[in-house]
Amino acid sequence: MSEECCGPDESKTIRPKPAAPVLDGDACCGPKLPPVFAKSQEEEGEHATRPPSWRDPALLPSAFSGTALVIGYLLESSGVEIPALVLQWVALLFGAYTFVPSTVRRLIRGRVGVGLLMTIAAIGAVALGHVGEAAALAFLFSLAEALEDRAMDRAKEGLRALLSLIPDIARISRLHGEETIPVAELRELDILIIGAGERVATDGIVVDGTSSIDTSAVTGESISVAVRPGDAVPAGAINGSGTLRIEATADGRDNSLTQIVALVEQAHARKGERARLADRIARPLVPTVLIVAALVVVFGFIVGDPTTWIERALVVLVAASPCALAIAVPVTVISAIGSASKYGVVIKSGQAFEQLGTIRTVALDKTGTLTRNEPQVVEVASYGYAEHEVLDFAAALEVSSTHPLAAAIVAAAPNAKPGQDVAEEAGHGITGVVDGRRIRVGNTRWLDPGAHREAAAQLAERGMTVVVVEVDGQLAGLIGIRDELRAESAETIRMMRDMGITPIMLTGDNERTARALAAEAGIQDVRAEQLPADKAGAIGALAAASPTAMVGDGINDAPALATATVGIAMGVKGSAAAIESADVAFTGHDLRFIPQALAHARRGRRIMTWNIGLALAIIIVLFPLALFGVLGLAGVVLVHELAEVLVILNGIRAARRPTGARPQALSPTATPTPVDTPENTLAK
């Protein structure tokens, strides 16, 4: 149990990329431990895994307290008074040891919390001669607090395990040969040597070698990815059979893996609406309960029965303590966000997590989100020339262009010789001379297809961007280039519809191409030819009508991502501006994890609501029962602490991934199953 619900200092800005992640803290007030890399790898490893409950030192005081209490009660029932009293005192001292010292320290600093209520109740019970009841209170409170700590540790285990994916040392290439150094000393531009089966110590780009890498422990995807020079490799990935030389693009202390953990830890401090609601209720409740208890004592003196009413005041202190309320939301948020990070969905705040559970509309960018962002020539219509000649003419000019469509044309005709006198007409096309012929290559707005206008329209209606090739003023052919949909796009849209979520396409592409690809994906509402400001305006209107998420990856998506109820950035190939503007960073490749994240957040939101309701119900029911003497101190303590344990266990359930939205294999006949290695268990 948190001793107090201080809440975050919302006047301070939480930066998106802290120097290093933190991994611990008060369940209510947020994380407060020093950076992970302030510790040695050995020290971090010692704390990375919870010991079994029967070996957990944190549970020993409660175990001793409970054992002494049970034996004491048995001796008391047998008429052995003195040994029974001694054991009850032993139980009281062991139980009080876990919360009284910290309560006193906080009280000296002028802070009050749940522990103060329990301390006053225990002291009062002893003063009234009820040592056994005071011992029961101390035992149950200390046990609930120890179980809460274990729950929080369990929720954070995935984050610690993510950091454990970074090896202790790395081999790097120097002018004088190979050298082995600690990973913390790795710097950007160092050349790492990654042998077969070794882990990548930090983010980098392959500069030599070909292999395949397993990123399942980082992104949750079980299929290995082939890599070659020029491909990006994330920290924590496992190399396959080949040897790779990788140029580091991040320091060993600050890479994608440590940033994921840092972002998740920020979420513990930045609380959502329900967390703030719990804090707003719990913070004034402690002094209010103290005042009510004091009034009950005064009433006892007025009616002439102070002993009875002092005892009831002590019971009221325990009955109205907001223990369960203080922990109702944080343990749920930490469990759920930590779980989401294991399959490539990094939720940056508790507020974003709660809002993610309210989403009813999802707007998706087309290029790079629904599509692969890898344009390819899919059809060539030639008029008076062979198809390969049309491609050669276009490639001869486009080889000098940086336009994405140019790369697709050059890839389709790799042997074309560069043209001469090449000049680019911005927004239109390109001109030049090839083998003495004047060539123009451009869009249909610049070069009119003439009698073949209908053929160009048919290509556009099939989702292609049409490039016109003209030779010496005459139409030579039409090239249809298409950025194919991701294999899982249609299934992702279907999963969203099954959840009652309305998908919308927002794109800057032309209307015909956008509608063709949208129909193939199963999207009915299409907003095409949108500038960045248009996207932001459309998202603003949608969000005003219902909670709306925006999924995008480019710089032009950044305003829309910031405007949406929840912005989801495609982090693998996404721009820094998009990731910075988003509330959720999606680090994987499989779009189907997005509806899974939405289902995960909905479930977590339901659990939070149930926890808050239960915590309030316990206080509302127990308060009058305590005030009118229906329940004594032992009964109230038992009910209260059992309810808190129930809240904790319910909150931990939020770590489970929802089965209803879990992605299946793209092939209808096979489902990829990750190998059950210790690393891959993180991805489950």
Side-chain angles (χ1 to χ4, degrees):
M1 280 146 285
S2 300
E3 287 294 315
E4 61 178 322
C5 291
C6 56
D9 182 357
E10 297 196 1
S11 65
K12 297 180 181 178
T13 301
I14 298 177
R15 299 190 180 278
K17 275 182 65 175
V22 289
L23 284 178
D24 211 345
D26 188 283
C28 186
C29 300
K32 297 179 181 177
L33 274 192
V36 169
F37 284 98
K39 302 179 182 180
S40 69
Q41 294 284 351
E42 290 78 15
E43 288 174 319
E44 187 60 35
E46 291 175 4
H47 299 284
T49 305
R50 286 175 299 121
S53 56
W54 56 274
R55 287 176 50 196
D56 191 346
L59 289 174
L60 285 179
S62 299
F64 288 141
S65 176
T67 303
L69 183 63
V70 170
I71 297 174
Y73 275 137
L74 291 175
L75 291 177
E76 186 179 37
S77 64
S78 301
V80 186
E81 298 292 338
I82 300 301
L85 183 62
V86 170
L87 286 172
Q88 288 173 357
W89 270 104
V90 169
L92 174 60
L93 292 176
F94 270 110
Y97 167 77
T98 63
F99 64 90
V100 172
S102 60
T103 296
V104 172
R105 287 194 297 269
R106 290 175 184 269
L107 190 59
I108 291 173
R109 295 197 299 265
R111 299 177 179 176
V112 297
V114 177
L116 179 61
L117 301 182
M118 298 301 177
T119 301
I120 293 174
I123 293 172
V126 171
L128 294 174
H130 302 305
V131 178
E133 290 187 345
L137 181 150
F139 161 65
L140 290 171
F141 186 71
S142 67
L143 178 62
E145 190 162 73
L147 290 176
E148 176 190 318
D149 290 340
R150 282 184 62 83
M152 300 304 255
D153 287 343
R154 176 180 175 180
K156 295 168 187 170
E157 263 183 10
L159 303 181
R160 296 190 178 104
L162 279 175
L163 285 180
S164 72
L165 298 179
I166 300 176
D168 297 337
I169 58 175
R171 284 190 298 152
I172 60 173
S173 177
R174 301 288 196 202
L175 291 176
H176 57 270
E178 292 184 13
E179 183 179 338
T180 300
I181 64 171
V183 167
E185 296 178 11
L186 273 177
R187 295 294 177 264
E188 191 174 347
L189 301 183
D190 280 344
I191 302 298
L192 285 76
I193 302 172
I194 311 296
E198 293 181 349
R199 283 195 180 278
V200 180
T202 191
D203 303 326
I205 301 243
V206 178
V207 294
D208 184 47
T210 59
S211 185
S212 61
I213 58 170
D214 175 8
T215 62
S216 59
V218 182
T219 65
E221 298 172 25
S222 58
I223 301 175
S224 295
V225 179
V227 291
R228 58 188 178 183
D231 290 339
V233 178
I238 302 175
N239 184 25
S241 57
T243 298
L244 297 174
R245 288 180 179 266
I246 297 174
E247 181 181 288
T249 57
D251 292 348
R253 292 173 177 263
D254 185 20
N255 52 56
S256 59
L257 209 52
T258 60
Q259 288 168 21
I260 286 174
V261 177
L263 288 172
V264 174
E265 286 296 333
Q266 287 179 36
H268 303 169
R270 294 174 58 190
K271 300 179 182 181
E273 188 63 32
R274 282 166 171 70
R276 290 193 295 270
L277 172 62
D279 286 352
R280 285 198 298 268
I281 295 172
R283 193 177 298 120
L285 188 56
V286 172
T288 301
V289 170
L290 290 173
I291 293 172
V292 171
L295 292 176
V296 172
V297 172
V298 171
F299 178 77
F301 280 99
I302 292 175
V303 300
D305 188 8
T307 302
T308 299
W309 289 97
I310 288 175
E311 185 172 346
R312 289 188 183 181
L314 297 175
V315 180
V316 165
L317 283 177
V318 179
S321 62
C323 308
L325 188 61
I327 195 61
V329 171
V331 71
T332 308
V333 170
I334 291 173
S335 297
I337 292 180
S339 173
S341 70
K342 298 173 196 173
Y343 57 94
V345 180
V346 181
I347 303 171
K348 296 184 181 181
S349 71
Q351 182 177 7
F353 174 72
E354 293 182 29
Q355 290 176 332
L356 196 62
T358 69
I359 296 301
R360 292 294 177 270
T361 303
V362 175
L364 302 103
D365 177 46
K366 179 180 74 69
T367 305
T369 300
L370 287 169
T371 66
R372 299 172 183 169
N373 200 19
E374 298 173 356
Q376 295 179 335
V377 173
V378 293
E379 190 163 330
V380 178
S382 57
Y383 307 105
Y385 296 88
E387 291 184 3
H388 71 87
E389 289 180 303
V390 173
L391 284 173
D392 286 343
F393 287 140
L397 304 187
E398 298 286 9
V399 71
S400 61
S401 176
T402 59
H403 195 281
L405 297 184
I409 293 174
V410 172
N415 298 320
K417 297 179 180 179
Q420 300 171 336
D421 299 331
V422 178
E424 193 157 350
E425 300 268 349
H428 297 294
I430 195 167
T431 63
V433 176
V434 179
D435 294 334
R437 299 176 179 180
R438 191 70 181 171
I439 308 297
R440 290 201 300 171
V441 179
N443 57 43
T444 54
R445 294 187 299 274
W446 187 46
L447 301 176
D448 188 358
H452 301 284
R453 195 176 294 115
E454 182 62 29
Q458 290 177 0
L459 293 178
E461 287 172 357
R462 288 160 55 195
M464 302 180 202
T465 298
V466 180
V467 175
V468 180
V469 180
E470 186 182 272
V471 178
D472 291 333
Q474 299 295 320
L475 180 68
L478 304 173
I479 301 175
I481 301 175
R482 189 160 114 149
D483 185 8
E484 296 291 346
L485 284 175
R486 292 173 183 258
E488 74 277 8
S489 290
E491 186 178 352
T492 299
I493 299 304
R494 179 189 58 75
M495 292 168 69
M496 289 182 182
R497 290 193 181 281
D498 290 345
M499 295 169 60
I501 294 173
T502 302
I504 295 174
M505 178 188 284
L506 283 182
T507 179
D509 208 342
N510 70 74
E511 184 83 20
R512 281 182 172 174
T513 301
R515 289 200 175 277
L517 287 173
E520 192 174 329
I523 299 175
Q524 298 174 354
D525 192 341
V526 180
R527 319 282 175 91
E529 300 178 10
Q530 300 274 304
L531 298 174
D534 299 328
K535 287 186 177 182
I539 290 295
L542 290 168
S546 67
T548 300
M550 170 69 191
V551 185
D553 74 323
I555 294 175
N556 63 332
D557 297 321
L561 290 169
T563 304
T565 308
V566 176
I568 303 175
M570 300 291 291
V572 172
K573 297 182 180 179
S575 70
I579 297 171
E580 188 81 7
S581 303
D583 304 292
V584 177
F586 174 58
T587 66
H589 299 271
D590 195 328
L591 278 178
R592 293 170 296 176
F593 280 118
I594 292 179
Q596 178 176 356
L598 294 170
H600 186 64
R602 284 185 179 183
R603 184 169 175 272
R605 186 178 170 87
R606 287 194 300 270
I607 290 173
M608 280 188 280
T609 302
W610 193 93
N611 273 353
I612 292 177
L614 176 62
L616 289 175
I618 291 298
I619 295 174
I620 293 170
V621 171
L622 287 184
F623 187 86
L625 295 178
L627 183 62
F628 296 109
V630 177
L631 281 179
L633 184 60
V636 168
V637 169
L638 181 62
V639 173
H640 218 296
E641 302 309 330
L642 287 177
E644 183 173 355
V645 171
L646 183 59
V647 164
I648 292 171
L649 295 176
N650 193 44
I652 291 174
R653 288 196 309 116
R656 296 206 329 253
R657 286 161 65 173
T659 56
R662 188 168 300 179
Q664 302 297 319
L666 291 173
S667 167
T669 59
T671 301
T673 303
V675 178
D676 282 321
T677 63
E679 294 84 3
N680 282 346
T681 57
L682 285 171
K684 295 183 179 179

